[in-house]
Amino acid sequence: MVVAGMVLQMSKKITKMMQKATKRLFTLTAMVATCNALSAFGGVPPTIAVQPVGISVQNGGIAVITSAAYPVLLANVSFTWYCNGQPLKADSNITIVNTTTNSLLGLPLGGLLPISILTIKNTNPTNAGTYYVTAKDTSSTGTTVSSNATLIVLSTVVTNVINIINSASTLTAAGFKLQMSAPANSNVVVEASSDLKSWTPIYTNLNSTGSLSFMDTDATNHPARYYRARTQ
């Protein structure tokens, strides 16, 4: 009887130990699942997918600077634009539009991404400077800062300016369409780059009439594609 009683007590102790071990294992599993969920949906700041690019505009013209971010969750990304270190606020000349897109600047993004478009109308020398944007996931504490983009406001009249019309330039099924305005009777060369360092001529238009449209059918074969145009 004594031996039977000892076996019964040991059995009860082993059962309690197994129950405690099971609870600890369940708690550890729940903690791991929570950490994974935070990592996937809220603990990681966004990544800048498209860096803002500098631009030169005529005094009194319109400047458009755009950026996009890879988010954790679409609805959680907020953008803040800065000029020379000071945050920008919308007014009669400054417009900031935050939305989502599946294509931007010739870059196939493979799904909806948050973008922020900064537009400055009636530019003047006080608008010149260094611009950048911050992207923050509101469900986390991390903030990502973009690279700098320089806005140059030209005070003198330049007669050979070529403007790429952003609102009419877009990625299509056939490729990336560029719409430009150029001086009449000028020869326009369009160049492309994947890193903003090395540029390759991809199109030459002789004797422009003032309005120029070009379709880059090779755009979708590149992970990133940037454009510029010049006269020759």
Side-chain angles (χ1 to χ4, degrees):
M1 295 294 293
V2 175
V3 174
M6 292 177 61
V7 171
L8 180 60
Q9 289 180 356
M10 291 179 64
S11 177
K12 289 182 178 179
K13 288 182 179 180
I14 293 174
T15 300
K16 289 182 179 180
M17 291 174 63
M18 292 181 64
Q19 290 175 343
K20 289 182 179 180
T22 301
K23 289 182 179 179
R24 289 174 181 173
L25 180 61
F26 178 79
T27 301
L28 180 60
T29 302
M31 291 174 63
V32 171
T34 300
C35 290
N36 288 339
L38 287 174
S39 176
F41 297 110
V44 181
T47 300
I48 302 297
V50 177
Q51 299 286 355
V53 178
I55 187 174
S56 298
V57 296
Q58 192 70 43
N59 187 32
I62 299 176
V64 179
I65 306 176
T66 305
S67 183
Y70 286 118
V72 177
L73 294 174
L74 284 175
N76 287 351
V77 176
S78 63
F79 294 93
T80 303
W81 284 92
Y82 293 81
C83 175
N84 298 326
Q86 299 300 315
L88 292 175
K89 294 183 178 179
D91 57 26
S92 58
N93 286 328
I94 296 177
T95 302
I96 299 175
V97 176
N98 298 324
T99 182
T100 58
T101 185
N102 58 6
S103 65
L104 183 67
L105 301 178
L107 174 63
L109 300 180
L112 290 177
L113 285 186
I115 66 170
S116 186
I117 304 172
L118 170 66
T119 303
I120 305 173
K121 299 185 299 181
N122 301 317
T123 56
N124 60 71
T126 62
N127 299 124
T130 301
Y131 288 75
Y132 65 89
V133 66
T134 61
K136 180 178 180 180
D137 189 315
T138 55
S139 65
S140 71
T141 57
T143 299
T144 304
V145 182
S146 74
S147 60
N148 293 331
T150 302
L151 171 60
I152 299 174
V153 179
L154 304 173
S155 58
T156 58
V157 176
V158 180
T159 58
N160 62 342
V161 170
I162 301 173
N163 291 313
I164 296 178
I165 304 173
N166 294 318
S167 59
S169 300
T170 184
L171 184 65
T172 69
F176 192 78
K177 177 185 177 182
L178 279 170
Q179 187 67 40
M180 295 167 283
S181 62
N185 301 317
S186 63
N187 298 331
V188 178
V189 178
V190 178
E191 299 176 330
S193 172
S194 59
D195 57 9
L196 294 175
K197 296 178 181 179
S198 301
W199 294 89
T200 302
I202 59 174
Y203 176 71
T204 300
N205 174 268
L206 301 177
N207 195 19
S208 169
T209 60
S211 179
L212 177 62
S213 181
F214 167 67
M215 179 70 71
D216 179 14
T217 57
D218 191 41
T220 55
N221 295 324
H222 300 268
R225 191 81 153 165
Y226 304 93
Y227 302 94
R228 71 183 184 185
R230 60 179 173 82
T231 59
Q232 69 173 13

